Amino acid sequence: MTPVSSHSPYGQSSLRTVQVLGGGNAGSSAHVRSLASGLVARGVRVTVCAPFGAERLYDFTGAGAAHVHVARSSDPGSVAALRAACADADLVHAHGLHASFRSVLALSGRRTPLVVTWHDRARAEGARAHLVQLLERKVVRTASVVLGSTSALVDRARHTGARDARLAAVALPGPRRGAGPEDADRLEPKTRAELGATGRPLLIAVGALERHRGHEVLLDASRAWRTLDPQPLVVVAGEGALRPVLQRRIEDEHLPVRLIGRRDDVSDLLAAADIALLPSSWESRSVLAQEALHARVPLVAARAAGIPELVGDAAELVPYGDADALAGAVVRLLGDPDRRELLRRRGVRQIASWPTEDETVAQILSVYDELTQPRPMI
């Protein structure tokens, strides 16, 4: 296969790329959707290999890409399906550890360049942690280029053995069309009423109900908010294995917290919120943090992993696992409208420092061109 330019000069066929997703978390799936749209607009042919569920949620075909169903599994059937989808690709770009390892298997014996993006760090405990380390090492040593969404992920890739690791910040897709200030003003009272937060502060947290997300610390902090008048309501959007444990605590301790399960209207929830909460022990380029700043909602977050790099001084940062610090930061913000307004202004400035979708696509395309353009004979 002869690599050709994505610019398609003099009738040459365009660059053919395959984007590979695993289950796809919100950040990586939204990024692939944005990337597919931008690449197609620049004449690149894009195929997205992802489960049917990801296509239903993110509509890759609506962005102009082809979609091929590949289950989130590394069994022989999934690897064979991916190998077939990559047969005519000039370059394969995998997102996340599982998708990357599946791509390594599918491309075995071929010289197709493989680009890998680490959006977040894979988490595991016990024996599985060793397996994850082995998978990471295999992936980064096979990939032509590893892109990390934060400096910490780039450092980790280099330490694991990547021959070429680079920082490639992932842009948050822009606001939905038609969602203007008038819509927000109209939806906010309705959303607050549905959540039971009329006449009281509304605090929003979003994330899977897993231990590293810090929801147990959030429940600890919420005890301090029971004495406030009016009492804030904490709403947690997300689902996971910890739900029974968290729900039992909420009921037994009479905590002002509601678990509302998975939601596809997070932007509406944030528009109605007084404060956004991010108590996680590990976040790389957090979608919630970006959405909160875009929505001009003050953010209180754990000072962990990529969060300080992402938000700068545009959020209240507290030590991870310190429920008293989290509770105190929220109380101070609720009582200090000037501080909340300062964070909003800093948020606008911080957003301006983030890459745009166009800049993100241009950077990715430059990597593609570097890997696929013929090198001159010396």
Side-chain angles (χ1 to χ4, degrees):
M1 186 188 309
T2 302
V4 295
S5 171
S6 58
H7 305 296
S8 306
Y10 308 109
Q12 287 183 326
S13 60
S14 60
L15 183 71
R16 293 159 294 189
T17 71
V18 173
Q19 306 289 322
V20 187
L21 272 171
N25 62 30
S28 59
S29 297
H31 171 61
V32 169
R33 211 288 183 180
S34 171
L35 186 56
S37 179
L39 291 173
V40 168
R42 289 162 173 78
V44 178
R45 293 163 59 186
V46 179
T47 296
V48 177
C49 292
F52 283 127
E55 164 62 16
R56 284 194 299 269
L57 284 174
Y58 293 94
D59 188 24
F60 304 116
T61 53
H67 171 251
V68 174
H69 169 69
V70 177
R72 189 184 186 277
S73 169
S74 295
D75 62 43
S78 296
V79 172
L82 181 56
R83 185 174 179 84
C86 296
D88 296 322
D90 296 305
L91 179 142
V92 174
H93 188 166
H95 301 263
L97 178 60
H98 294 288
S100 301
F101 181 66
R102 197 176 311 124
S103 299
V104 168
L105 296 178
L107 294 177
S108 177
R110 295 179 178 174
R111 300 182 65 182
T112 309
L114 173 63
V115 177
V116 167
T117 291
W118 278 3
H119 296 266
D120 206 345
R121 179 179 173 180
R123 303 173 193 85
E125 298 177 356
R128 181 168 170 75
H130 179 64
L131 174 61
V132 165
Q133 291 174 357
L134 293 176
L135 296 183
E136 287 182 339
R137 188 175 300 117
K138 176 66 173 177
V139 165
V140 301
R141 293 182 178 181
T142 303
S144 304
V145 175
V146 178
L147 304 175
S149 64
T150 67
S151 300
L153 290 172
V154 173
D155 291 342
R156 182 177 178 83
R158 289 172 178 159
H159 179 74
T160 308
R163 48 186 166 173
D164 189 341
R166 313 178 191 180
L167 180 65
V170 175
L172 179 74
R176 297 168 301 168
R177 291 183 179 180
E182 298 82 3
D183 299 296
D185 291 342
R186 175 176 52 82
L187 290 172
E188 180 180 331
K190 179 182 177 183
T191 302
R192 293 179 71 96
E194 289 175 349
L195 295 173
T198 301
R200 60 193 298 198
L202 176 61
L203 315 181
I204 294 290
V206 180
L209 305 184
E210 300 170 353
R211 294 205 180 276
H212 75 276
R213 294 289 186 178
H215 295 309
E216 291 170 299
V217 177
L218 179 56
L219 295 194
D220 291 340
S222 73
R223 294 174 182 151
W225 305 328
R226 292 179 299 187
T227 61
L228 300 181
D229 184 20
Q231 186 183 83
L233 173 65
V234 183
V235 171
V236 181
E239 198 54 83
L242 277 185
R243 184 182 183 105
V245 175
L246 299 176
Q247 188 61 51
R248 190 176 307 113
R249 279 197 59 189
I250 291 168
E251 295 171 1
D252 290 348
E253 300 174 36
H254 305 288
L255 302 176
V257 180
R258 283 191 61 193
L259 306 180
I260 60 173
R262 285 194 186 90
R263 299 287 289 247
D264 57 7
D265 60 345
V266 170
S267 59
D268 294 337
L269 297 177
L270 280 172
D274 295 289
I275 294 176
L277 303 173
L278 187 62
S280 302
S281 64
W282 175 270
E283 291 283 348
S284 53
R285 199 165 179 87
S286 165
V287 173
L288 176 66
Q290 293 177 77
E291 289 184 334
L293 267 61
H294 273 289
R296 294 175 57 84
V297 177
L299 173 68
V300 178
R303 188 183 292 105
I307 292 299
E309 179 180 345
L310 177 64
V311 302
D313 63 357
E316 295 286 358
L317 300 181
V318 299
Y320 169 72
D322 191 333
D324 290 338
L326 176 62
V330 168
V331 171
R332 287 191 297 275
L333 270 184
L334 288 175
D336 190 345
D338 290 340
R339 178 66 179 176
R340 297 198 300 272
E341 182 56 33
L342 175 62
L343 290 180
R344 293 185 186 102
R345 293 198 303 270
R346 288 178 175 175
V348 172
R349 183 190 64 201
Q350 188 69 14
I351 289 168
S353 72
W354 295 341
T356 65
E357 288 185 88
D358 281 346
E359 289 168 343
T360 296
V361 173
Q363 181 187 9
I364 295 295
L365 189 53
S366 72
V367 174
Y368 292 179
D369 284 343
E370 177 185 331
L371 294 174
T372 58
Q373 293 307 303
R375 290 175 173 80
M377 299 294 292
I378 300 177

